[in-house]
Amino acid sequence: MYKILIIEDEKLLSEMYEEKFSQSGFSVMVANSAEEGFESLKEYKPDLILLDILLPQENGIQFLKRAKDISGVSKIPVVVFSNYDDPETKKKASDLGARDYLIKTNFTPSEIVEKIKDFLKKLDTSR
Amino acid sequence: MVNPFLFEALKCYNYLKKSCFSDTSIFMDIKYTILIVALLNFIIGLSVLFRNRKSDINLSFALASFDLGLWATSMFFYVKPFIFDSEVWIKIVYLFVIGLIVTWTYFFKIFLEIKDKRFPTLISIVAFFFIFILIGTDYWVKGVITKPWGPETILGPAYALFGVYTLIVMMWITFAWIKKVSQSKGIKKMQLVYLFVGAFLYSILTVIFDVIIPLVTGDSRFFWISVYFSLFFVVASAYAIIRYRLMDIRFVAGKTFVYLLSIISILIFSFFLMFLNNKLLVPISINIFAPIATVIGILLFQPVFQFFEQIASKYFYYTFYSYRTVLTDLGRRLTQFLDLDRLSSLIVNTLTSTMKLDRTVILLREAGNGNYRIQNNVGFREENGISLVKDNFLTAWLEKNQAPLVYEELSLIIRDSSSQEERERLERIKGNMKKIEAALCLPLFIENKISGMIVLGNKISGDPYSQQDIALLNTLANQSSVALQNAKLYDQVHDLSENLQERVDIQTKELKQAYEELKVLDRAKSEFISLASHQLRTPLTAIRGYVSMILEGSYGKLSKSASKPLNNVLGSAERLIRIVNDLLNISKIELGKMELNKAPARVDELITTCYEEMKSTAEKKGLEIIWQKPKSRLPEIEVDKLKIGQVISNLIDNAIKYTQKGKIEIKAEKADSVILVSIKDTGEGLTRDEIRMVFEGFTRGAAGIAYWIEGAGLGLYIAKKYIDLHNGKIWVESEGKGKGSAFYVELAIK
């Protein structure tokens, strides 16, 4: 069973994704801010982090920057999923190690689940 | 060049020589020249009179010179009797001599501005007494005897009395003159000097020929020569009265001295030649000798004249030439500076110290409004310096006359002016000049337009500006105006470059500021877009997400009747999402934020992917969709796969959407150095206007939106932008409504 951490401030969406991922057999933890995310990561060690970009206080990019310096966290793959569609931000995220940058609105929750499943499976086989 | 003076001198010499050394008949001929002198006196008298008939000076002078003319005429008839005999003529001569005394007295009374009328009245009364003696008795003229050279008068005691009378008049005139000259300055003083020189030469030479020579030699044969000397007085006086600007007397004296010495030297030399000729065994005949001597004289005159001229310029009119040198020197130095302030102070200081002036100011004219500005001033009160030129008439007058304006001459100019208005204006200028104590306005011209002026005060000595001074000042003004103009231009260029730098700095700053503002605006726009995208997309994501999950049965099995409307909700949400995506893409393109992720790709492979994805949609609609792959593999080209894929799927999607029946044909081929993709359908086709507008976004404003093909969205506009970013071409061909359409995309291979 895969463990994921969803960092998403929008309640409506975080609940939806939590539900979909749970239904699809994931162990899900939701954080409403970058800070909450780091808090959770102290005990919870997910296989993957789904990260929103536009977050209150620290945004997704700042999260990625901070995460790099935390041992145990830096190795966790991060997939950005955001409606914020800006080439510069995309590039920054990719430079900071984000594995993918998905535009939320372009995918249904099940499509996202499928993408993450595929990604994790690939990751498993390559290990 | 034959000097006319020389010619006349030689003629005189020949007559003199012949009269002295050969026969006496020639001696009579020379006396005809007395008539010329008489005529000259009449002419000069008339010209002075016609110069200004209202002036008392001119009138009294004319009377005096007419009297002189009549006196000379009667003198001629005395030596060459006509109608009457010499005894009658000599009485007429003396009659005019008495007249002369009276007219002179009145002339000097008026000229020297003597108010007291008693003396001239007394002189006139006494004159009648002498006329009575002269005509009625023989106490004056006892008789005339004829000598070989002509008549000679035997004078009585009354003549001696007349001599005393004349002496008294001359003394009276002399004292009045001395008194006047000490009170005058400027042009008046100069006139008085001229008058004195003329009268002195006339008197002294007359005394020599009429009194001293007869007394010493007992020979009064040269008595008649004194007639010629009257011209000294008449010419000098007329010149002083008529001319505005008198020649420096030193200069005239110098020139006269040079001419006299030259003529005398030539004459001495000729006599010496004649002396040598007489010493020869066989002397050359006078008929041959005279022309030779004349030619020698003519040839010698020029070098002799130059020789004396040099001496004179060295000693005689030295002072005049010394400041001429200084001013010429100044002209040379003017070219050494380009600095306006240094240049103008050089001019002002040199003029003030060399000509010994009490004040000098340079006024320069502003280019724009034509106002004058004090550039450099010595001695003038600043506020008065400008008041002179506030009146534009002065500028206009100077421009019209192209000559300096001399205060002393103003009254004469006013007198001679015909226009009442001009007279009034000139009076005002005169008043202004007097107020600021200016003596001369020296205009500075650049191409006949006044660029400024130098205003000069009076000479400290009280001397007026002579003709030579003004000629020099004119030359200097020309040089100065050029030098000042250069300096002014230099200053302007200098200021301009400084100004320019300043302006460039300001504009750079402004540009920076504008750039900063633009950057802020740009950031604001980006932020707005991201915000909008976030705000719009988040609820859309939720709608799409939840509906899709409901449809997938995440929340329990769905009744068939509910799934259809929910599918509609999903479709609408997806359509809305596409519109938002399009809008965001367009803003990105317009902000220049759209970047290409280029990688090698084969266009036919991209088409295949799109074809596979959309085949089912077309087939569901009952359309035939054909993907005609190229016969040979297409070469790989550098493209943004995602964007080119988006363009192709957009074109295929449109073809499906607008075709109700028939087929869609997709082709890709290599043609020369391009890959050409075509998507043809048998659908609705496009009107000519639609063809024109189909790739336009809303950049064209309302008109663009009006032609926005219903439901086509902004897909084609974005497609065009994407293809443009690839430096490719996209276009559409259609034969009209209902005749299908063909979209083409052309991408360069390299």
Side-chain angles (χ1 to χ4, degrees):
Chain A
M1 192 167 74
Y2 293 117
K3 294 200 280 186
I4 63 161
L5 172 66
I6 298 172
I7 305 176
E8 166 68 72
D9 65 317
E10 198 70 50
K11 275 263 155 55
L12 204 66
L13 295 182
S14 62
E15 273 172 21
M16 183 179 84
Y17 289 122
E18 189 186 4
E19 215 168 293
K20 188 70 208 176
F21 274 100
S22 300
Q23 280 178 10
S24 310
F26 281 78
S27 163
V28 189
M29 172 84 81
V30 172
N32 290 317
S33 70
E35 197 49 50
E36 256 187 62
F38 283 117
E39 274 302 310
S40 319
L41 284 167
K42 281 179 184 163
E43 286 152 27
Y44 186 71
K45 298 293 167 198
D47 297 301
L48 186 134
I49 300 169
L50 260 179
L51 175 69
D52 191 12
I53 289 295
L54 296 175
L55 294 169
Q57 284 125 26
E58 282 180 293
N59 66 24
I61 298 297
Q62 281 160 324
F63 177 90
L64 284 168
K65 277 184 192 159
R66 257 177 82 182
K68 279 181 88 173
D69 298 332
I70 304 170
S71 61
V73 175
S74 60
K75 284 181 188 134
I76 304 170
V78 180
V79 167
V80 173
F81 79 141
S82 173
N83 277 329
Y84 189 66
D85 188 1
D86 169 62
E88 273 170 50
T89 314
K90 272 183 178 171
K91 194 171 180 301
K92 263 185 208 159
S94 143
D95 289 346
L96 289 166
R99 303 303 173 96
D100 207 345
Y101 197 114
L102 305 172
I103 302 300
K104 280 187 249 181
T105 184
N106 291 351
F107 303 98
T108 60
S110 28
E111 280 167 348
I112 290 186
V113 169
E114 286 308 307
K115 276 197 174 276
I116 298 301
K117 264 189 187 167
D118 287 352
F119 179 77
L120 287 169
K121 269 180 194 161
K122 265 186 208 162
L123 215 66
D124 277 349
T125 49
S126 68
R127 261 183 200 145
Chain B
M1 199 191 85
V2 179
N3 201 304
F5 280 88
L6 171 75
F7 200 74
E8 199 57 40
L10 282 167
K11 217 166 85 188
C12 279
Y13 152 73
N14 276 328
Y15 278 124
L16 273 171
K17 180 192 64 63
K18 283 179 182 172
S19 62
C20 291
F21 296 94
S22 52
D23 61 312
T24 52
S25 64
I26 302 296
F27 204 48
M28 293 306 290
D29 293 344
I30 192 173
K31 287 169 186 163
Y32 283 105
T33 56
I34 292 173
L35 282 176
I36 296 172
V37 174
L39 194 66
L40 276 174
N41 274 317
F42 289 131
I43 290 169
I44 292 169
L46 274 174
S47 59
V48 170
L49 183 65
F50 281 111
R51 192 90 183 173
N52 189 355
R53 269 179 279 185
K54 285 174 200 157
S55 160
D56 289 343
I57 292 177
N58 293 38
L59 188 67
S60 59
F61 174 81
L63 279 175
S65 54
F66 288 155
D67 195 285
L68 272 172
L70 293 167
W71 169 62
T73 314
S74 48
M75 186 69 103
F76 172 78
F77 290 119
Y78 163 64
V79 293
K80 229 175 149 26
F82 175 69
I83 301 175
F84 308 113
D85 58 20
S86 290
E87 201 174 324
V88 176
W89 279 114
I90 193 66
K91 286 193 178 186
I92 296 172
V93 166
Y94 283 121
L95 198 62
F96 286 121
V97 171
I98 296 166
L100 201 59
I101 299 295
V102 177
T103 49
W104 270 38
T105 307
Y106 275 96
F107 171 67
F108 275 100
K109 180 205 170 280
I110 292 160
F111 200 91
L112 300 175
E113 291 161 347
I114 298 162
K115 298 246 165 61
D116 196 346
K117 283 180 189 164
R118 285 173 301 182
F119 184 79
T121 314
L122 184 69
I123 289 295
S124 310
I125 294 162
V126 178
F128 283 107
F129 164 72
F130 278 114
I131 292 169
F132 170 73
I133 291 175
L134 177 69
I135 298 167
T137 72
D138 56 357
Y139 291 120
W140 188 326
V141 178
K142 285 190 162 173
V144 174
I145 53 164
T146 307
K147 290 276 176 86
W149 54 82
E152 194 174 297
T153 309
I154 299 158
L155 293 165
Y159 184 63
L161 201 63
F162 180 71
V164 174
Y165 168 77
T166 309
L167 203 66
I168 290 167
V169 170
M170 282 173 85
M171 276 164 69
W172 178 78
I173 289 172
T174 309
F175 284 124
W177 183 86
I178 290 168
K179 201 176 148 199
K180 190 72 197 173
V181 102
S182 66
Q183 288 166 354
S184 320
K185 59 174 190 175
I187 202 163
K188 188 80 186 175
K189 194 172 184 174
M190 192 87 144
Q191 284 178 330
L192 290 172
V193 171
Y194 266 90
L195 236 58
F196 173 78
V197 171
F200 176 79
L201 284 176
Y202 176 39
S203 312
I204 201 80
L205 290 167
T206 309
V207 167
I208 289 169
F209 280 86
D210 287 6
V211 181
I212 297 171
I213 292 176
L215 280 178
V216 173
T217 60
D219 183 349
S220 62
R221 72 173 79 167
F222 298 117
F223 171 66
W224 52 274
I225 291 176
S226 62
V227 170
Y228 295 104
F229 305 136
S230 68
L231 282 178
F232 280 115
F233 172 71
V234 172
V235 169
S237 307
Y239 180 73
I241 294 166
I242 292 170
R243 288 303 298 260
Y244 294 171
R245 200 171 291 158
L246 300 177
M247 276 193 277
D248 191 313
I249 197 84
R250 281 176 306 221
F251 185 79
V252 178
K255 280 280 177 201
T256 315
F257 169 77
V258 170
Y259 274 111
L260 278 175
L261 270 183
S262 308
I263 291 166
I264 290 165
S265 309
I266 299 285
L267 285 176
I268 290 168
F269 184 72
S270 302
F271 279 113
F272 178 67
L273 280 182
M274 199 175 293
F275 170 74
L276 288 182
N277 183 36
N278 289 339
K279 289 282 172 199
L280 290 176
L281 283 175
V282 185
I284 301 166
S285 144
I286 192 71
N287 290 334
I288 299 167
F289 179 79
I292 292 172
T294 309
V295 170
I296 291 171
I298 289 168
L299 290 175
L300 269 178
F301 188 81
Q302 209 61 29
V304 169
F305 183 82
Q306 274 168 9
F307 170 74
F308 286 117
E309 172 94 331
Q310 265 173 13
I311 291 176
S313 59
K314 210 167 173 184
Y315 302 105
F316 208 82
Y317 28 86
Y318 171 75
T319 45
F320 167 67
Y321 276 99
S322 75
Y323 84 63
R324 188 169 85 160
T325 315
V326 173
L327 295 186
T328 315
D329 209 42
L330 173 63
R332 194 171 44 75
R333 278 164 68 200
L334 283 178
T335 56
Q336 288 171 0
F337 303 119
L338 262 179
D339 181 82
L340 198 56
D341 291 334
R342 275 182 79 183
L343 203 63
S344 48
S345 70
L346 174 74
I347 295 168
V348 164
N349 292 334
T350 313
L351 281 173
T352 312
S353 61
T354 315
M355 301 191 84
K356 308 255 181 318
L357 306 174
D358 52 5
R359 61 205 76 192
T360 308
V361 67
I362 292 189
L363 303 171
L364 289 183
R365 242 177 143 195
E366 307 276 352
N369 49 19
N371 286 343
Y372 288 86
R373 167 176 67 77
I374 295 177
Q375 174 62 35
N376 203 302
N377 176 27
V378 173
F380 278 105
R381 299 236 313 274
E382 296 264 319
E383 67 275 16
N384 288 343
I386 290 295
S387 75
L388 172 66
V389 286
K390 281 232 172 87
D391 188 351
N392 281 331
F393 179 74
L394 176 61
T395 307
W397 196 89
L398 291 171
E399 254 172 24
K400 194 179 95 190
N401 289 278
Q402 298 274 315
L405 179 71
V406 185
Y407 175 74
E408 296 258 344
E409 295 169 6
L410 259 173
S411 10
L412 301 168
I413 295 166
I414 292 165
R415 186 195 71 194
D416 293 345
S417 171
S418 54
S419 143
Q420 174 68 25
E421 195 200 341
E422 190 175 77
R423 270 202 295 278
E424 277 167 16
R425 295 288 197 96
L426 286 168
E427 279 291 357
R428 204 178 313 152
I429 289 177
K430 195 178 159 195
N432 273 328
M433 283 182 86
K434 193 185 166 77
K435 194 172 102 195
I436 68 165
E437 291 177 83
L440 197 146
C441 292
L442 188 63
L444 302 170
F445 290 107
I446 292 291
E447 288 170 354
N448 297 341
K449 286 265 169 279
I450 290 193
S451 62
M453 65 174 83
I454 303 177
V455 181
L456 306 178
N458 288 300
K459 288 185 182 175
I460 294 166
S461 63
D463 286 343
Y465 288 94
S466 69
Q467 208 174 350
Q468 284 75 30
D469 287 338
I470 286 161
L472 274 181
L473 285 171
N474 260 336
T475 313
L476 189 73
N478 289 340
Q479 289 169 329
S480 299
S481 52
V482 171
L484 288 168
Q485 179 76 359
N486 285 343
K488 222 160 126 185
L489 288 175
Y490 176 78
D491 256 22
Q492 275 171 6
V493 169
H494 191 73
D495 283 356
L496 190 72
S497 65
E498 259 178 15
N499 210 338
L500 214 61
Q501 186 56 49
E502 216 168 275
R503 275 171 62 187
V504 166
D505 287 348
I506 290 169
Q507 280 179 353
T508 310
K509 210 176 139 193
E510 280 173 1
L511 264 176
K512 263 186 193 159
Q513 214 172 332
Y515 177 69
E516 288 301 323
E517 276 166 19
L518 262 178
K519 255 165 80 175
V520 170
L521 262 177
D522 195 45
R523 213 159 31 232
K525 204 170 170 185
S526 307
E527 272 160 19
F528 169 77
I529 287 160
S530 53
L531 212 73
S533 66
H534 185 74
Q535 299 286 352
L536 285 169
R537 275 172 163 175
T538 301
L540 282 169
T541 313
I543 295 167
R544 188 186 188 195
Y546 280 113
V547 172
S548 71
M549 278 165 72
I550 292 168
L551 283 167
E552 283 159 11
S554 296
Y555 303 98
K557 205 165 159 33
L558 204 67
S559 68
K560 269 212 171 138
S561 56
S563 72
K564 198 173 179 252
L566 272 175
N567 261 315
N568 288 345
V569 172
L570 186 66
S572 298
E574 281 170 352
R575 190 167 153 193
L576 207 53
I577 285 164
R578 272 200 302 276
I579 291 167
V580 170
N581 286 352
D582 282 351
L583 285 172
L584 283 169
N585 280 333
I586 287 164
S587 16
K588 264 193 255 175
I589 289 164
E590 281 171 4
L591 276 174
K593 272 193 172 180
M594 186 58 77
E595 284 170 5
L596 294 179
N597 268 322
K598 277 188 176 178
R602 280 174 50 203
V603 175
D604 51 336
E605 279 177 4
L606 292 174
I607 294 171
T608 305
T609 312
C610 294
Y611 171 75
E612 295 298 337
E613 265 176 25
M614 308 181 89
K615 202 171 89 178
S616 57
T617 321
E619 280 165 355
K620 261 185 217 165
K621 217 177 162 183
L623 299 170
E624 192 186 348
I625 181 162
I626 306 153
W627 164 217
Q628 216 174 76
K629 287 183 184 176
K631 284 175 190 113
S632 54
R633 269 169 56 142
L634 292 177
E636 281 193 333
I637 56 168
E638 290 275 324
V639 290
D640 185 322
K641 282 196 258 184
L642 213 67
K643 296 197 168 71
I644 295 299
Q646 221 171 306
V647 171
I648 291 165
S649 72
N650 184 279
L651 291 177
I652 298 173
D653 188 51
N654 277 346
I656 296 169
K657 208 182 279 174
Y658 296 104
T659 307
Q660 305 311 324
K661 58 176 185 181
K663 60 179 178 183
I664 294 154
E665 260 184 286
I666 308 159
K667 261 193 217 167
E669 57 194 351
K670 181 176 169 280
D672 295 328
S673 56
V674 293
I675 288 165
L676 183 68
V677 180
S678 62
I679 294 142
K680 287 181 189 168
D681 62 51
T682 55
E684 289 175 17
L686 295 158
T687 66
R688 201 164 284 184
D689 279 339
E690 282 168 344
I691 288 173
R692 198 155 52 80
M693 305 303 292
V694 80
F695 294 106
E696 299 287 330
F698 41 54
T699 46
R700 287 174 61 98
I705 291 167
Y707 279 100
W708 190 357
I709 298 159
E710 185 62 34
L714 292 163
L716 285 175
Y717 172 69
I718 294 166
K720 180 163 166 50
K721 291 287 174 192
Y722 283 173
I723 297 300
D724 284 347
L725 282 171
H726 282 87
N727 295 319
K729 282 184 200 160
I730 183 166
W731 72 95
V732 63
E733 288 171 6
S734 173
E735 291 186 0
K737 271 283 175 210
K739 289 180 179 171
S741 52
F743 282 84
Y744 297 90
V745 172
E746 195 183 271
L747 292 165
I749 289 171
K750 198 68 211 165

